[in-house]
Amino acid sequence: MTLLTVEGLTVSIGETRILDGVSLSVDAGEVLGLVGESGSGKSMTALSIMHLLPQGAVAGGTMIFDGKTLDALDEDTLCGLRGNDISMIFQEPMTALNPVMTIGAQIVEAVRIHRRVSDDEAEALMRDVLLRVDLPPEECPPERYPHELSGGQRQRVVIAMAIVLKPKLIIADEPTTALDVTTQALILDLLRRLVAEDDIGLILISHDLAVVADMADRVAIMRNGAIVESGETVALFRTMQHPYSRMLRDASTYRPALRQRVPQDGTQRAPLLEARAIVQHYRLPRATLFGPPTWFRALDDVGLTIHRGENLGLVGESGSGKSTLARIILALTPPVSGTVMLDGRDFLAARGPGKRDLRRHIQAVFQDPYGSFDPRYHVAHLIAEPFHLDDSHPSAAERRRRVDEALTEVGLTAADGDKYPHEFSGGQRQRLAIARALVTRPSLIVLDEAVSALDVSSRAQVLDLLAELSDRLRVSYLFIAHDLSVVRAVTDRVVIMREGRIVEHGETEAVFANPRHPYTAALIAATPNLERALAARTERNLQRATAE
């Protein structure tokens, strides 16, 4: 049964056409994948279906949901549909959840808005839905606040709010983008199970083609506000007709060309950074008022080495200790014990001008470039910030010359220095972050999930850029990521972390081809793979056809 039909949907803001004749449909129990680059109109399509368009937007076309023409409904009726019959799962659960309310109270609130039930009935529905999303009270008490949960747990809470009233349609907008591969696999399995158990229609918005191939029964590919190609998943991916579709498919498996980094004469490269026997622990709240203190050991005797001109990948699930280790390597957090040697000098023990000089040789690129830029300043000012580490005190003209040079190196223009961060796309902002890291000519750049939020084409461009800069400038990278395909594409060696320990390390290709530790093998198996997903879906289709 057709649950949702959208015909000729258009959206304009002022003179700008955002959506141009979008048509799609979703059946009960079906998953529709909506794919495209940033700015292609995926999220605007979702907001149009929910009738949550921004002020000033003008929509046209027809949307029929469960026999009702949505465009003909008044706001009160639409409010009754949202959350009750149509729910939405947002990309970033931390911003979707209220930080001052417990997770249980937020789910109860969603129930009480739409149903006239007693407190006990609402409480029972809340506890039941938390069990359905695999958050039992002994593991995740409803009295906890969002900041006390992991990323995967927060995403499960958002899903619980979306399904507590058993809606007929769920729109999931990039629900797993920021999650590690094992948590992502669990969330996708949960969504798949909910669709099957409750006969829910699901619109899955994602830039990850492997995830869409694994989840979706049908796929629609969007570009510039229009659907350029759609069809049954396997048939569409096997016989893509539109050049844009083929570009997305190629970009999803793209690997930049890297030069041969291992010396062929058997000589050893000088170590650029050495982290030795790093231990970090945090004090936990006492179980009782007068009970003994307990400690969480975040890092347990961790060590790694990065050679000059080498790229090292650091991989692990959320909570494995990757970011804690990165903060210690950047000398932003002191460890309980251990040393960090940078270019032969003790980075953690250095003080004054000596430490400032060392800081100039190690820079960072963060996951969210927009959050790491002050929106009040021009780009030239933001990129010039690291010059406070330069004891030569370059003049204003020299600083601007070097900023312009950095912008050019990352594929932008000198004129971009006079713009603000909000005037750039996500991929361009990540280029700005790389330019800021490069401006002091560091020896090492720490990249913390630097491409995880980018669509496939932007990711391919940034990976190409990083590979080219590494080859040309001989800069080394510590590449922290949960996306193993990205790590495999840009690193020479890889370190696998689990629960504060390094469980495996070695040459990247050797580790991926023949993992020795079961945890490494589990991470590789959980990584979405387009060909594997299509093969599995083909097998399921054959089994279904045989059964019928």
Side-chain angles (χ1 to χ4, degrees):
M1 181 188 74
T2 301
L3 185 63
L4 173 73
T5 302
V6 177
E7 290 287 348
L9 175 63
T10 62
V11 173
S12 299
I13 300 178
E15 299 298 320
T16 304
R17 180 63 64 93
I18 308 299
L19 297 180
D20 189 7
V22 172
S23 297
L24 55 85
S25 65
V26 185
D27 293 343
E30 180 186 45
V31 180
L32 172 69
L34 202 55
V35 177
E37 297 175 285
S38 298
S40 62
K42 307 186 302 296
S43 295
M44 192 62 74
T45 300
L47 294 175
S48 299
I49 295 170
M50 298 289 290
H51 277 62
L52 293 174
L53 289 171
Q55 189 174 6
V58 178
T62 303
M63 289 180 283
I64 300 174
F65 170 74
D66 198 25
K68 306 180 187 74
T69 302
L70 295 179
D71 314 271
L73 303 179
D74 57 37
E75 184 60 25
D76 287 343
T77 306
L78 289 169
C79 285
L81 285 176
R82 298 188 198 108
N84 195 22
D85 292 324
I86 307 175
S87 290
M88 192 160 180
I89 301 169
F90 296 96
Q91 178 174 353
E92 177 44 64
M94 196 60 183
T95 57
L97 294 172
N98 189 330
V100 298
M101 291 178 65
T102 64
I103 60 173
Q106 295 187 61
I107 297 173
V108 167
E109 181 185 52
V111 173
R112 297 297 297 273
I113 285 174
H114 293 282
R115 301 279 173 87
R116 291 183 178 181
V117 296
S118 66
D119 290 346
D120 288 343
E121 290 174 313
E123 181 90 4
L125 284 171
M126 176 268 292
R127 294 186 177 276
D128 178 65
V129 78
L130 286 176
L131 288 174
R132 287 198 71 196
V133 298
D134 300 322
L135 289 178
E138 61 272 15
E139 175 186 322
C140 183
E143 295 76 25
R144 284 187 178 177
Y145 290 88
H147 71 272
E148 298 179 285
L149 308 182
S150 69
Q153 287 174 325
R154 285 195 290 266
Q155 194 63 278
R156 288 171 185 270
V157 171
V158 172
I159 293 173
M161 292 176 67
I163 69 167
V164 65
L165 298 175
K166 296 187 176 180
K168 298 174 181 177
L169 175 67
I170 293 178
I171 302 172
D173 191 357
E174 301 280 8
T176 62
T177 296
L179 303 179
D180 58 63
V181 290
T182 51
T183 305
Q184 174 178 261
L186 293 172
I187 294 296
L188 294 176
D189 282 343
L190 170 62
L191 289 173
R192 189 183 292 110
R193 174 164 55 85
L194 293 171
V195 169
E197 290 176 353
D198 295 347
D199 207 29
I200 292 171
L202 174 64
I203 299 177
L204 178 65
I205 299 172
S206 179
H207 62 248
D208 191 326
L209 270 66
V211 167
V212 170
D214 181 49
M215 287 287 295
D217 303 299
R218 291 187 299 111
V219 177
I221 297 176
M222 292 193 70
R223 183 190 188 193
N224 296 333
I227 293 178
V228 298
E229 193 166 2
S230 63
E232 190 276 329
T233 301
V234 176
L236 184 141
F237 278 104
R238 294 298 188 203
T239 61
M240 283 179 162
Q241 301 297 314
H242 199 280
Y244 178 74
S245 304
R246 294 196 294 269
M247 183 277 292
L248 286 181
R249 182 188 59 196
D250 294 342
S252 69
T253 57
Y254 180 73
R255 297 181 66 181
L258 293 173
R259 61 177 168 79
Q260 177 59 254
R261 298 170 182 274
V262 180
Q264 299 301 298
D265 57 4
T267 59
Q268 293 292 319
R269 289 171 293 183
L272 172 62
L273 180 135
E274 292 179 277
R276 303 170 181 166
I278 302 295
V279 174
Q280 182 69 296
H281 56 65
Y282 301 105
R283 189 168 180 167
L284 299 175
R286 296 174 187 268
T288 60
L289 181 60
F290 299 106
T294 56
W295 300 84
F296 171 69
R297 203 170 181 88
L299 295 175
D300 190 3
D301 194 26
V302 172
L304 58 80
T305 299
I306 303 175
H307 297 100
R308 195 172 296 278
E310 177 187 51
N311 296 338
L312 179 71
L314 185 58
V315 175
E317 296 174 289
S318 298
S320 62
K322 306 187 305 294
S323 295
T324 301
L325 180 59
R327 287 195 297 270
I328 291 172
I329 287 174
L330 289 164
L332 299 177
T333 302
V336 172
S337 62
T339 59
V340 175
M341 305 297 294
L342 179 60
D343 206 15
R345 292 180 284 176
D346 192 331
F347 190 23
L348 302 183
R351 297 291 182 271
K355 186 146 195 169
R356 191 165 58 247
D357 179 62
L358 284 172
R359 281 199 183 279
R360 186 168 61 86
H361 291 285
I362 182 170
Q363 293 292 317
V365 175
F366 300 101
Q367 178 176 354
D368 179 11
Y370 194 64
S372 65
F373 287 134
D374 190 324
R376 300 171 298 173
Y377 291 106
H378 287 108
V379 161
H381 176 94
L382 297 169
I383 293 178
E385 283 179 337
F387 282 127
H388 77 278
L389 301 171
D390 193 338
D391 289 334
S392 66
H393 303 296
S395 65
E398 174 64 12
R399 289 199 301 270
R400 184 55 194 253
R401 185 193 67 78
R402 289 167 63 179
V403 166
D404 292 347
E405 182 182 20
L407 286 169
T408 303
E409 284 178 333
V410 298
L412 300 173
T413 67
D416 289 326
D418 297 319
K419 298 178 182 178
Y420 290 94
H422 72 268
E423 298 181 78
F424 296 87
S425 68
Q428 288 174 322
R429 282 197 289 266
Q430 200 60 281
R431 289 172 181 265
L432 295 176
I434 295 169
R436 181 171 60 181
L438 286 172
V439 76
T440 60
R441 285 294 182 262
S443 304
L444 174 66
I445 298 178
V446 178
L447 299 120
D448 191 0
E449 301 284 6
V451 298
S452 65
L454 301 180
D455 56 58
V456 289
S457 59
S458 297
R459 183 179 66 184
Q461 293 168 9
V462 172
L463 291 178
D464 255 345
L465 171 65
L466 291 172
E468 189 271 331
L469 292 172
S470 178
D471 291 347
R472 179 162 54 86
L473 302 178
R474 299 287 295 173
V475 63
S476 298
Y477 299 140
L478 174 59
F479 205 98
I480 303 170
H482 62 251
D483 189 331
L484 272 69
S485 62
V486 170
V487 171
R488 190 173 192 175
V490 298
T491 63
D492 307 298
R493 288 190 301 118
V494 64
V495 170
I496 312 293
M497 288 192 69
R498 183 187 188 191
E499 297 178 350
R501 291 175 175 267
I502 292 176
V503 298
E504 188 166 358
H505 63 88
E507 299 292 332
T508 300
E509 281 303 318
V511 170
F512 275 81
N514 187 29
R516 299 187 301 275
H517 197 279
Y519 177 70
T520 309
L523 286 180
I524 294 172
T527 301
N529 178 277
L530 181 57
E531 286 302 320
R532 190 168 62 222
L534 290 174
R537 179 162 290 279
T538 301
E539 179 64 25
R540 290 197 296 270
N541 290 344
L542 288 173
Q543 291 175 354
R544 189 181 300 117
T546 302
E548 293 174 352

